[in-house]
Amino acid sequence: MWLFVAFLLVPLIEIALFIQIGGAIGLGLTLLIVVITAVIGTYLVRAQGIQALGQVKSSFNQLQDPSEALAHGAMILFSGALLLTPGFFTDAVGFALLVPGVRVAVFNWARTRIKVSTFSSHPTPPHQSEAIDGTYEDVTPDRPQSDQPSGWTKH
């Protein structure tokens, strides 16, 4: 339901802001600001995205939990989408997500609401379980009935 509300409210907010800002500074300057924010946003997203990718690689190389670095990368990607969307509200949210402190706050907020049951960067050692599951097939040639020990029956 909240996603429906967001898809309904965001365009309404953008239209209202375009009308207000366009009326105050003019159409040409309003469109120029939208284009400039997209260009600057693209540059910042690229730079911070490369940095986030380096942090993900580093956490994998050091066998550390990569969830925070991956979350930062996802937020940077989302901010890029917001910055390329024409509008002042989406630009404000997009630029806010490019601030590392804002991303840390969003990550910490999400961490309190998402429960991870387990995380392991090492495979489970095979010696922990002694049960061996398998099938077998008797490949010995048929022996005469008299050669079988007493009590054994052939099925």
Side-chain angles (χ1 to χ4, degrees), residues 18 28-42 83-88 91 95:
F18 269 119
L29 196 53
T30 302
L31 293 177
L32 182 65
I33 290 172
V34 169
V35 170
I36 289 173
T37 58
V39 170
I40 292 171
T42 302
L83 288 167
L84 289 176
T85 303
F88 293 101
D91 286 349
F95 279 121

Side-chain angles (χ1 to χ4, degrees), residues 28-148:
L29 196 53
T30 302
L31 293 177
L32 182 65
I33 290 172
V34 169
V35 170
I36 289 173
T37 58
V39 170
I40 292 171
T42 302
Y43 172 75
L44 291 173
V45 165
R46 183 177 182 274
Q48 289 193 15
I50 291 170
Q51 182 182 11
L53 184 60
Q55 290 172 348
V56 170
K57 285 181 182 179
S58 174
S59 63
F60 278 127
N61 288 339
Q62 297 172 5
L63 298 176
Q64 295 176 344
D65 180 11
S67 59
E68 187 168 2
L70 288 170
H72 281 271
M75 285 186 269
I76 291 169
L77 182 66
F78 184 64
S79 73
L82 290 174
L83 288 167
L84 289 176
T85 303
F88 293 101
F89 179 71
T90 54
D91 286 349
V93 175
F95 279 121
L97 284 175
L98 288 178
V99 176
V102 172
R103 288 196 310 265
V104 169
V106 170
F107 179 75
N108 289 335
W109 175 83
R111 188 187 328 198
T112 62
R113 291 177 174 45
I114 298 172
K115 182 182 179 202
V116 177
S117 57
T118 60
F119 176 81
S120 175
S121 60
H122 304 290
T124 306
H127 66 277
Q128 286 189 350
S129 173
E130 294 185 24
I132 299 174
D133 187 20
T135 59
Y136 72 94
E137 181 180 332
D138 188 5
V139 293
T140 57
D142 288 340
R143 294 185 288 188
Q145 195 71 355
S146 62
D147 287 350
Q148 293 182 354

